[in-house]
Amino acid sequence: YWTNKSMRSMKKMASLKPEMDALQKKYANDKEKLNQEIMALYKRHKVNPLGGCLPMLLQMPIYIAWYQALMASVELYRAPLFGWIQDLTAQDPYFVLPVLMGVLMFLQQKMTPTAQDNSQAKVMLYTMPIMFTVIMLFLPSGLTLYILTNTVLGLAHQWYMNHSEDALA
């Protein structure tokens, strides 16, 4: 539900980009007036600029709890999963899961509609996947697998939202 609302919010924000660009040109020298006009634009179109971040904020406690469970659970210590993953509590020895997760996050960022200017969009496109990949290199493979699975599901949902006729409804 929250991911769906987030994606709808991002699509609405992206549809407002031409109006935002016009406002940025009109109020290039007056940042305060620009911010007021952008907030009025959001209010007029009933768009929440923080709506795209909500699912990630809601998932953070789950990530932390899963990490704690992996570190405290005796049953999961040295529990093999498949192939090269012989311990869910240890990092991926060949870094396959973190790198795959980073690549899929990059693809998801590419597919995500953006209302930001091009320089901000490029920073988000590269920074988020690289940052998550580097962090996941040293965390338990069980947590990396969980976030990878979540990313795959998010990617499929993003593709559906981008190709669905009723996505903005």
Side-chain angles (χ1 to χ4, degrees), residues 118-164:
N118 287 338
S119 61
Q120 269 185 321
K122 283 183 181 177
V123 166
M124 288 302 290
L125 175 67
Y126 296 108
T127 304
M128 287 297 289
I130 290 171
M131 183 180 74
F132 261 85
T133 301
V134 169
I135 291 170
M136 290 297 131
L137 289 174
F138 306 104
L139 290 177
S141 58
L143 179 63
T144 307
L145 181 64
Y146 175 80
I147 296 173
L148 173 67
T149 304
N150 205 11
T151 303
V152 169
L153 294 173
L155 196 60
H157 192 232
Q158 183 71 49
W159 184 88
Y160 170 76
M161 291 294 288
N162 287 348
H163 292 87
S164 174

Side-chain angles (χ1 to χ4, degrees), residues 8-41:
R8 285 183 179 165
S9 175
M10 285 188 288
K11 279 192 115 165
K12 284 182 183 176
M13 292 271 298
S15 70
L16 295 178
K17 186 161 178 26
E19 292 179 56
M20 289 176 64
D21 290 343
L23 287 174
Q24 286 174 344
K25 284 181 184 175
K26 185 175 181 179
Y27 300 107
N29 298 326
D30 189 1
K31 294 289 184 190
E32 188 174 323
K33 184 68 175 167
L34 173 65
N35 288 336
Q36 289 174 349
E37 290 296 321
I38 287 177
M39 292 310 287
L41 179 70

Side-chain angles (χ1 to χ4, degrees), residues 101-118:
M101 185 199 67
V103 169
L104 291 176
M105 279 186 153
F106 176 79
L107 288 174
Q108 188 175 19
Q109 289 284 358
K110 276 292 243 195
M111 291 172 59
T112 303
T114 180
Q116 303 164 339
D117 61 36
N118 287 338

Side-chain angles (χ1 to χ4, degrees), residues 57-127:
L57 291 175
L58 292 174
Q59 290 173 14
M60 291 307 287
I62 296 169
Y63 293 166
I64 293 167
W66 185 231
Y67 177 78
Q68 290 294 325
L70 286 168
M71 293 295 104
S73 178
V74 176
E75 297 85 11
L76 293 174
Y77 181 67
R78 296 210 174 153
L81 183 63
F82 60 84
W84 70 97
I85 306 294
Q86 295 301 312
D87 185 357
L88 288 173
T89 63
Q91 68 188 39
D92 183 344
Y94 303 112
F95 307 115
V96 174
L97 294 177
V99 171
L100 183 60
M101 185 199 67
V103 169
L104 291 176
M105 279 186 153
F106 176 79
L107 288 174
Q108 188 175 19
Q109 289 284 358
K110 276 292 243 195
M111 291 172 59
T112 303
T114 180
Q116 303 164 339
D117 61 36
N118 287 338
S119 61
Q120 269 185 321
K122 283 183 181 177
V123 166
M124 288 302 290
L125 175 67
Y126 296 108
T127 304

